[in-house]
Amino acid sequence: MLRNLLMTLSYDGTRYFGFQTQPDGNTVQDQLEAAIRQLTGEEVKIHGSGRTDAGVHARGQTFHFQTSSQIPVERWRHALNGRLPYDIRITDAVEVPLEFHSRRSAKRKTYRYSINGNRVFDVFEQPYQLHHPGYLDVMAMREGLAYLIGTHDYTSFASRHSTKQSHVRTIYEARIEVDPGKEGAGSHEQGIIHIYITGNGFLQHMVRIIVGTLLQVGEGKRLPEEMGRILEAKDRAAAGPTAESKGLMLWKVEYNELRDFLAVSDNTLS
Amino acid sequence: MLRNLLMTLSYDGTRYFGFQTQPDGNTVQDQLEAAIRQLTGEEVKIHGSGRTDAGVHARGQTFHFQTSSQIPVERWRHALNGRLPYDIRITDAVEVPLEFHSRRSAKRKTYRYSINGNRVFDVFEQPYQLHHPGYLDVMAMREGLAYLIGTHDYTSFASRHSTKQSHVRTIYEARIEVDPGKEGAGSHEQGIIHIYITGNGFLQHMVRIIVGTLLQVGEGKRLPEEMGRILEAKDRAAAGPTAESKGLMLWKVEYNELRDFLAVSDNTLS
């Protein structure tokens, strides 16, 4: 009997060419499929909730796949982790209805982008933060970010290589949190600036282009209200540069309560 | 004119054979001396506040060295960081009296040992934490740790290879802090357990042997009060195993206020 499993995982993207399988090789998906093959002997294709670019990390990525293996669901996490490299960890595994899809069933996705605003970067965090020791006006960045909330055509904040038919997405929430940083930090220390953006889906490079543009607002090169005009322009050239991938992390993917989902799927079946 | 510089640095010890130069090669000290040579042309020998073993990290290690370079002290940090690998960062540089010595002038050193007590380790923290998903009785560990505070002969908690004449040291403070961990953590999650130990100096492997023994207390294999008896035995065989190096971090090295030091050294000179 075929079963559908939904797994949550974390990975350090530093060593990988992104999440999704591609001709050039070493991706997180390749590692996951190899681990499943080792465990079950099955040639399985997994489906991620979305791609992440080379060098982008994930705290709460999800994927699903169908298997005829009868290994109980509570055993999968441990069994796969024993077959995965140290920088990829399954954190949760649940069985879901066959029609459940990690991307199409997702309700909200949150990304976090982290900027180290201190003079010296932290050696333990440097693979996960953009280093920006120059002054940033965080209040102006907050003001600029607010223009992006809502349902809009985000063409200005999408890669020119985007192949999506529609660039309309909804950003539900966007906020900036500042962690004032370490004990003994000097007066020029800005701490760690985390930008969280939650939406129903994201276009290629969308978060990184938003951050690259917000950095220009923080540097005083653009006014906060330009964010609204950039959005209206529907032109990639209107926005700022694409921020480095290493500061980006897929923070979480949210679904309806599985209980609700099962209720809906029971209705569908009845 | 010869000057004496005191620098503070962080490093990720994963790639290094410890802090101090040794025949087998790649150490943090080698990297620092090479960067100073590149900057000044001088063949300088630096003096660290203490060794750290292979794989041990530092948030606030210190070292001093003498130089005839006239580069202003406020320029050194940036100049050296530009010549150091990504996993070593100078965080501070100050000029000190010629008789100042990073190790001999140190008043207090603090180490931190970190244990991940959650089911799944965190991919972003795994190079810096011991993973121990099995149950740990943290209250018992706290009780056991308290026996070590004070001035004692720590032979039981020192490597058999220690070459020090005296194993008497003073532990001023020792405490365990538990970071309850991530949002959504399940009921079996113990969070991150940080053990901080502050003393006037530490013997080879001392913190790691203390932690290895405390873990046995946490696992219920030893009673907390055994810590006192182990100390009295003055025998390495009485204690537990040496905990893995990767969980250990040299947290900070404290000196008298430089103001006080300068006052003392002025007195000495007058």
Side-chain angles (χ1 to χ4, degrees):
Chain A
M1 198 191 72
L2 217 52
R3 293 189 301 157
N4 195 10
L5 301 183
L6 171 69
M7 302 206 175
T8 308
L9 79 160
S10 297
Y11 49 85
D12 179 327
T14 309
R15 299 197 306 146
Y16 299 99
F17 295 135
F19 181 80
Q20 185 164 292
T21 296
Q22 51 143 301
D24 293 345
N26 195 27
T27 65
V28 177
Q29 181 176 351
D30 296 338
Q31 297 287 345
L32 292 166
E33 290 174 353
I36 295 168
R37 190 164 55 239
Q38 273 183 47
L39 178 63
T40 65
E42 289 178 321
E43 289 288 341
V44 154
K45 183 164 155 46
I46 67 167
H47 303 272
S49 78
R51 307 173 181 207
T52 55
D53 296 327
V56 172
H57 315 288
R59 190 195 76 133
Q61 169 72 295
T62 57
F63 67 91
H64 78 279
F65 62 97
Q66 303 199 340
T67 176
S68 54
S69 159
Q70 291 311 308
I71 299 171
V73 69
E74 63 275 14
R75 297 260 194 88
W76 278 84
R77 183 184 57 75
H78 191 70
L80 287 181
N81 282 338
R83 290 162 174 85
L84 283 164
Y86 68 91
D87 46 10
I88 303 177
R89 286 295 106 170
I90 306 287
T91 57
D92 198 29
V94 289
E95 188 166 348
V96 287
L98 281 176
E99 62 273 32
F100 185 97
H101 190 288
S102 63
R103 188 183 75 253
R104 287 196 291 265
S105 307
K107 292 300 166 208
R108 292 157 60 99
K109 283 171 91 166
T110 301
Y111 279 92
R112 185 182 80 172
Y113 196 98
S114 300
I115 299 159
N116 183 332
N118 296 327
R119 290 176 315 161
V120 182
F121 70 64
D122 177 339
V123 289
F124 307 111
E125 296 293 335
Q126 66 85 19
Y128 317 117
Q129 296 175 344
L130 175 75
H131 189 212
H132 190 296
Y135 177 72
L136 288 171
D137 181 344
V138 174
M139 288 311 291
M141 290 167 71
R142 286 193 171 115
E143 206 185 312
L145 185 56
Y147 286 89
L148 303 187
I149 295 173
T151 300
H152 302 284
D153 181 321
Y154 292 95
T155 299
S156 295
F157 297 99
S159 163
R160 290 193 179 84
H161 303 294
S162 167
T163 54
K164 299 288 176 185
Q165 289 211 323
S166 165
H167 287 167
V168 175
R169 296 289 183 278
T170 299
I171 292 183
Y172 301 117
E173 289 177 39
R175 68 181 198 281
I176 301 182
E177 287 184 6
V178 181
D179 177 349
K182 311 282 182 185
E183 171 189 344
S187 57
H188 295 291
E189 306 293 80
Q190 300 183 93
I192 311 301
I193 299 160
H194 297 294
I195 304 171
Y196 291 87
I197 304 181
T198 301
N200 64 352
F202 290 87
L203 302 165
Q204 192 181 4
H205 295 174
M206 182 166 153
V207 180
R208 292 167 57 193
I209 299 169
I210 290 174
V211 171
T213 313
L214 273 187
L215 283 170
Q216 296 182 322
V217 172
E219 290 162 350
K221 292 176 184 162
R222 289 183 190 266
L223 293 170
E225 49 267 37
E226 282 184 60
M227 294 301 280
R229 291 201 287 273
I230 294 166
L231 203 53
E232 283 164 26
K234 300 187 182 63
D235 175 5
R236 172 67 186 89
T242 308
E244 257 185 273
S245 60
K246 72 174 190 172
L248 186 60
M249 192 176 292
L250 173 51
W251 193 249
K252 62 180 172 185
V253 181
E254 293 170 276
Y255 299 94
N256 284 337
E257 287 294 317
L258 205 56
R259 201 177 37 214
D260 300 351
F261 185 87
L262 290 167
V264 170
S265 86
D266 282 353
N267 287 342
T268 315
L269 294 174
S270 69
Chain B
M1 200 190 71
L2 218 52
R3 293 189 301 157
N4 195 12
L5 301 183
L6 172 69
M7 302 205 174
T8 308
L9 79 160
S10 296
Y11 49 85
D12 180 326
T14 309
R15 300 196 308 145
Y16 299 99
F17 294 136
F19 181 80
Q20 185 165 290
T21 297
Q22 50 142 301
D24 293 343
N26 194 28
T27 65
V28 177
Q29 181 175 352
D30 296 339
Q31 297 287 345
L32 292 166
E33 290 175 353
I36 295 168
R37 190 164 56 237
Q38 272 184 45
L39 178 63
T40 65
E42 289 179 322
E43 288 288 341
V44 153
K45 184 166 157 43
I46 66 168
H47 303 272
S49 78
R51 307 174 181 205
T52 55
D53 296 327
V56 172
H57 314 289
R59 189 195 77 133
Q61 169 71 296
T62 58
F63 67 93
H64 78 278
F65 62 98
Q66 303 199 340
T67 177
S68 54
S69 160
Q70 291 311 307
I71 299 170
V73 68
E74 62 276 15
R75 297 258 195 88
W76 278 85
R77 183 185 57 75
H78 191 69
L80 287 181
N81 282 339
R83 291 163 173 85
L84 283 166
Y86 69 90
D87 46 11
I88 303 177
R89 285 295 105 170
I90 306 286
T91 57
D92 199 28
V94 289
E95 189 167 347
V96 287
L98 281 175
E99 62 273 32
F100 186 97
H101 189 289
S102 63
R103 188 185 73 254
R104 287 196 292 265
S105 307
K107 292 299 166 209
R108 292 156 59 97
K109 283 171 91 168
T110 301
Y111 279 91
R112 184 183 80 173
Y113 197 98
S114 300
I115 299 158
N116 184 331
N118 296 328
R119 290 176 315 161
V120 182
F121 69 65
D122 177 339
V123 289
F124 307 111
E125 296 293 334
Q126 66 85 19
Y128 318 116
Q129 296 174 344
L130 175 76
H131 189 213
H132 190 295
Y135 177 72
L136 288 171
D137 181 342
V138 174
M139 289 311 292
M141 291 167 72
R142 286 195 171 113
E143 205 185 315
L145 186 56
Y147 286 90
L148 304 186
I149 295 174
T151 300
H152 302 285
D153 181 320
Y154 292 95
T155 299
S156 295
F157 297 100
S159 162
R160 289 192 180 87
H161 302 293
S162 167
T163 55
K164 299 288 177 185
Q165 288 210 323
S166 166
H167 287 167
V168 175
R169 296 290 183 277
T170 300
I171 292 182
Y172 300 117
E173 289 177 38
R175 67 181 199 283
I176 300 180
E177 287 183 7
V178 181
D179 177 350
K182 312 284 184 186
E183 171 190 344
S187 57
H188 296 292
E189 305 294 79
Q190 300 182 94
I192 312 300
I193 300 161
H194 297 292
I195 304 172
Y196 291 87
I197 305 182
T198 301
N200 63 351
F202 290 88
L203 302 165
Q204 192 182 3
H205 294 175
M206 183 165 151
V207 179
R208 292 166 58 194
I209 298 169
I210 290 173
V211 171
T213 312
L214 273 185
L215 284 169
Q216 296 183 322
V217 172
E219 290 162 350
K221 293 177 184 161
R222 288 181 190 266
L223 293 170
E225 50 267 37
E226 283 184 60
M227 294 300 279
R229 290 201 287 273
I230 294 166
L231 202 54
E232 284 164 25
K234 299 187 183 61
D235 175 6
R236 172 66 186 90
T242 307
E244 257 186 273
S245 61
K246 73 174 190 172
L248 185 61
M249 190 174 294
L250 173 51
W251 192 249
K252 63 180 171 184
V253 181
E254 293 170 275
Y255 300 96
N256 284 338
E257 286 295 314
L258 205 56
R259 202 177 37 215
D260 301 349
F261 184 86
L262 290 167
V264 171
S265 85
D266 283 350
N267 287 343
T268 316
L269 294 174
S270 68

